[in-house]
Amino acid sequence: YFHFWFAVARTDTNTFSVICHIMKRFAVVILIFLFNTVSSQNRIYEISFCGREQNVILREKNNKKFSGTINSKFHKQKSNRDITKTKKINKNIAKIIINDLKNNGILQLKNEDDKINCGDFYLDGDILNFTVTENKIILNKGFDEVYPESESKTIEPNECRRKAQFLATIIDKQLNLKKLHSQQFKKLGSGTCYWTGISQVCIKKK
């Protein structure tokens, strides 16, 4: 009886050791997953420009991997069919833009109050909009009728609006957005349109 009890006890001990070993490995896997989830920083910057349906989306992962796209939206006048043209941004250019935006205080825009400090509001105007997402939206800020320097007749005199213009100019200098949009628009041919504010611009049919 003693030998049988000893054999059973030894078997139970071995089983318990195996279970403990499995649980330890499982706990390590969970800890690694949680660490990676917490430490991983995925940030998305989306900037929508005035004068046309065009936005720039930039992605940053752990300050190591960078990517982005330029997205332009058009439509056919007769069928109202939407057309979206997307162009990838070189990863090195995406890195330069993201670092310049951060170094020039893009996240500080949320501390400004448009109604008090940011100048005029245009009821029928376009909006330069900055959105930054990191698991949730951490910035969503719009500025009425603010254009990059290459598309504006004046430098914004208002300090808040000037900052928004400067950030837009950082992006535009690297990507030449208006030129790209014009090239895409012309290639789509007659009957193609895009919205600018509440107005519609179309290529007339010959």
Side-chain angles (χ1 to χ4, degrees):
Y1 174 78
F2 174 77
H3 288 294
F4 174 75
W5 178 85
F6 181 76
V8 172
R10 186 174 180 181
T11 301
D12 289 344
T13 301
N14 290 339
T15 302
F16 181 74
S17 297
V18 171
I19 292 172
C20 285
H21 180 69
I22 292 172
M23 290 181 68
K24 284 180 181 178
R25 289 176 66 89
F26 183 71
V28 169
V29 171
I30 292 296
L31 287 172
I32 291 173
F33 173 77
L34 290 175
F35 175 78
N36 287 335
T37 301
V38 172
S39 63
S40 179
Q41 184 188 59
N42 297 309
R43 185 177 284 175
I44 300 173
Y45 304 79
E46 182 175 350
I47 303 91
S48 300
F49 287 80
C50 295
R52 53 193 176 269
E53 292 184 279
Q54 185 182 50
N55 67 19
V56 172
I57 297 177
L58 301 159
R59 294 179 175 84
E60 172 190 14
K61 186 174 183 180
N62 298 329
N63 202 30
K64 293 180 180 179
K65 293 183 179 181
F66 302 87
S67 62
T69 57
I70 306 168
N71 310 288
S72 304
K73 188 177 178 181
F74 308 92
H75 64 274
K76 287 297 182 180
Q77 188 175 24
K78 192 173 182 179
S79 63
N80 212 29
R81 176 173 60 90
D82 288 336
I83 302 168
T84 301
K85 291 292 181 180
T86 300
K87 182 178 180 179
K88 287 186 178 181
I89 299 170
N90 178 279
K91 62 182 180 181
N92 295 322
I93 298 298
K95 180 179 180 180
I96 290 170
I97 296 172
I98 289 172
N99 287 336
D100 282 351
L101 291 176
K102 290 193 294 185
N103 291 337
N104 285 280
I106 185 172
L107 294 180
Q108 294 172 12
L109 291 175
K110 63 185 177 182
N111 298 322
E112 305 287 353
D113 187 341
D114 294 11
K115 294 178 183 177
I116 299 173
N117 299 317
C118 277
D120 298 324
F121 175 80
Y122 301 88
L123 185 62
D124 60 349
D126 257 352
I127 296 176
L128 170 68
N129 197 78
F130 298 88
T131 303
V132 182
T133 306
E134 191 177 306
N135 297 324
K136 62 179 181 179
I137 294 176
I138 59 176
L139 168 68
N140 187 15
K141 205 70 172 175
F143 301 87
D144 294 329
E145 296 287 355
V146 173
Y147 295 84
E149 291 173 17
S150 65
E151 300 178 37
S152 179
K153 295 178 181 178
T154 59
I155 299 298
E156 290 287 345
N158 178 284
E159 184 179 352
C160 173
R161 289 169 61 82
R162 172 57 185 153
K163 185 170 185 177
Q165 184 182 44
F166 185 73
L167 292 170
T169 301
I170 286 173
I171 301 167
D172 184 54
K173 279 185 176 180
Q174 293 291 339
L175 303 177
N176 204 344
L177 295 168
K178 188 174 183 179
K179 181 179 178 180
L180 173 65
H181 186 272
S182 179
Q183 290 172 343
Q184 292 172 330
F185 183 47
K186 290 176 182 177
K187 284 183 179 179
L188 289 171
S190 62
T192 304
C193 308
Y194 66 88
W195 289 101
T196 172
I198 60 171
S199 301
Q200 189 174 227
V201 178
C202 299
I203 298 177
K204 294 182 179 180
K205 293 184 178 180
K206 295 180 180 180

